[in-house]
Amino acid sequence: MTAPAIILSQPQIGENIGATARAMKNFGLTELRLVAPQCRWPNDRAEALAAGAGDILAAAKVYPDMASGLAGIRLVLATTARDRDTLREILTPESAASRLRDAQSNGVSSAILFGGERAGLSNDELSLADAVITIPTAEFSSLNLGQAVLLLGYEWLKSADRTPASRMRKTIAVPALRQELVELFEHLERELDAGGFFFPAAKKEAMARNIRAMILRSHLSDQEVRTIRGMIVALVKNKYRGPAKTT
Amino acid sequence: MTAPAIILSQPQIGENIGATARAMKNFGLTELRLVAPQCRWPNDRAEALAAGAGDILAAAKVYPDMASGLAGIRLVLATTARDRDTLREILTPESAASRLRDAQSNGVSSAILFGGERAGLSNDELSLADAVITIPTAEFSSLNLGQAVLLLGYEWLKSADRTPASRMRKTIAVPALRQELVELFEHLERELDAGGFFFPAAKKEAMARNIRAMILRSHLSDQEVRTIRGMIVALVKNKYRGPAKTT
């Protein structure tokens, strides 16, 4: 299976969660995750709008933050309407669906992230994504959460009968679990901090996000994440354990 | 111009007409026609849901029946969710969009028909269409009027869209010089060696090659190469300059 999970971050309006479930079911998606919902949960209005997709709502899991919401996920695509500064790959819904199908063919778990109604995904949440998806629109651009899920679900279903382009390519190793990447980021950032890398301090968050984006662009495997962590340990080794070289 | 007109037959719910206008405007469609609306018209709820697409509602024209609603139209495609007995061409939304673009190129006026919420299009109305459009769904199929318009509008825009399937947010105007990368590799490998990373020694060359490949997959810019070199310096900093921690 491994159809993509749909992850809503801080959804505010029950109706939109219901519309999401309905859109999902139309297009063969079943796993819904809610990160820190801002409305009551379970939610009457969500159930009213789900219209036959109540089973998806009933099975939805709730998580306190995005890092835990990504448990078990290896490929993460994030929807965003706005331009962001970070250097990152941008996909159309169609190419995103194709990439998710490739992942499915290789048994790789995946998720699509959608931000809350007011503010969308935070920069921290985006920093956990391999690539972002932007829905092409005319100059007027005003899609709500349910509509965005509908369009992604539609492209997902459409992509089903398409032979994945990547079948011709050499199979890439299984991409790392998101949790392993989060641990790598935290390890690296902790050591960089200790080395005084983040200067000035006010720029720390932006600097860390750029480093995360740079690393995610490599689509690391489990093994490569372990290799980089080994590299960090080796680089800081003398700091903790090695002989002092006093000057 | 001659973008397709959207024609709603006997719409019952003001909200759905508003959602239709909003969906249209997102994807560059502007002409809305209402055939025998079953709700008040103009309609407050429609205006509330239009969310910025009120101009499309204000310009919408009302007709007493489908034959008059098709005034001036030459190519007619009708959406339907159900199997019909009549032998008729069935298009996907994508191929419908392509046919509508062909019409546009030839200056041929066109329209897409959508039936009312309860009964859809009548057989008489379908008999006026050149072909029908069916939206592919999973076994569960429950799309409302606004969602159907959204998906057709999306395909319409896509059929003209030149958005590359994948692009980078910012162009890497200046990919790093190979020499800068070589210096980065040498710097990193020297420090990893000093930290005892390459073990066993016989594997050093293969390990270094894998690390180089991993880094090259990120397609680094000049600036990013400098960032990584700064990271290496920060990580090994205490080794050379920091206080000794004797064990």
Side-chain angles (χ1 to χ4, degrees), chain B residues 194-208:
Chain B
F197 179 79
F198 294 115
F199 180 86
K203 284 198 172 177
K204 176 178 171 177
E205 279 193 24
M207 292 169 79

Side-chain angles (χ1 to χ4, degrees), chain B residues 114-160:
Chain B
F114 296 83
E117 289 85 347
R118 194 169 309 141
L121 292 166
S122 70
N123 284 331
D124 276 354
E125 289 172 320
L126 283 172
S127 75
L128 299 173
D130 294 287
V132 300
I133 306 168
T134 298
I135 296 171
T137 62
E139 198 173 338
F140 175 87
S141 182
S142 168
L143 293 171
N144 71 23
L145 179 54
Q147 291 171 321
V149 174
L150 186 81
L151 292 172
L152 268 299
Y154 168 75
E155 286 288 8
W156 165 256
L157 188 92
K158 255 183 88 177
S159 66

Side-chain angles (χ1 to χ4, degrees), chain A:
Chain A
M1 269 295 293
T2 60
I6 299 296
I7 306 185
L8 308 184
S9 175
Q10 304 191 40
Q12 298 172 307
I13 303 173
E15 278 87 341
N16 283 337
I17 304 176
T20 292
R22 181 178 174 179
M24 288 172 64
K25 191 156 183 177
N26 269 289
F27 299 118
L29 297 170
T30 55
E31 186 180 356
L32 176 61
R33 301 184 182 192
L34 306 176
V35 171
Q38 303 295 296
C39 55
R40 279 173 298 101
W41 190 258
N43 187 295
D44 292 349
R45 298 300 301 150
E47 277 164 41
L49 267 280
D55 53 334
I56 289 178
L57 292 184
K61 291 210 176 98
V62 176
Y63 300 83
D65 52 45
M66 184 56 81
S68 58
L70 289 171
I73 303 293
R74 292 174 188 275
L75 172 67
V76 177
L77 304 181
T79 56
T80 175
R82 290 170 294 169
D83 283 327
R84 306 280 187 164
D85 284 338
T86 311
L87 188 62
R88 195 189 302 280
E89 192 179 15
I90 304 172
L91 305 174
T92 62
E94 184 174 6
S95 62
S98 166
R99 191 160 310 185
L100 293 164
R101 284 285 172 196
D102 289 352
Q104 184 184 43
S105 304
N106 292 318
V108 170
S109 56
S110 65
I112 312 174
L113 314 189
F114 295 84
E117 289 85 348
R118 194 167 309 141
L121 292 166
S122 70
N123 285 329
D124 275 355
E125 289 171 321
L126 284 171
S127 77
L128 298 174
D130 294 288
V132 301
I133 306 168
T134 298
I135 297 171
T137 62
E139 196 174 341
F140 175 85
S141 182
S142 167
L143 294 170
N144 71 21
L145 180 54
Q147 292 172 322
V149 174
L150 186 81
L151 292 172
L152 269 298
Y154 168 75
E155 287 287 7
W156 165 255
L157 188 92
K158 263 183 80 177
S159 67
D161 53 6
R162 191 177 305 150
T163 303
S166 76
R167 264 188 205 162
M168 299 302 289
R169 297 200 292 262
K170 184 185 165 196
T171 306
I172 302 166
V174 175
L177 279 174
R178 202 53 30 145
Q179 186 55 29
E180 294 173 308
L181 285 164
V182 168
E183 286 165 14
L184 164 63
F185 294 154
E186 290 172 351
H187 180 186
L188 176 60
E189 288 158 18
R190 191 167 58 243
E191 293 295 356
L192 287 173
D193 221 2
F197 177 79
F198 294 114
F199 181 85
K203 284 199 173 177
K204 175 177 173 179
E205 281 193 22
M207 291 170 79
R209 275 199 302 274
N210 284 330
I211 293 168
R212 289 178 176 208
M214 199 161 71
I215 292 172
L216 283 168
R217 289 208 319 264
S218 280
H219 301 293
L220 300 172
S221 69
D222 286 341
Q223 178 54 51
E224 290 174 326
V225 168
R226 285 194 291 275
T227 297
I228 294 181
R229 294 196 66 173
M231 289 163 63
I232 298 169
V233 169
L235 291 173
V236 301
K237 192 173 191 178
N238 291 3
K239 176 177 164 187
Y240 297 116
R241 292 187 283 174
K245 182 174 182 178
T246 46
T247 48

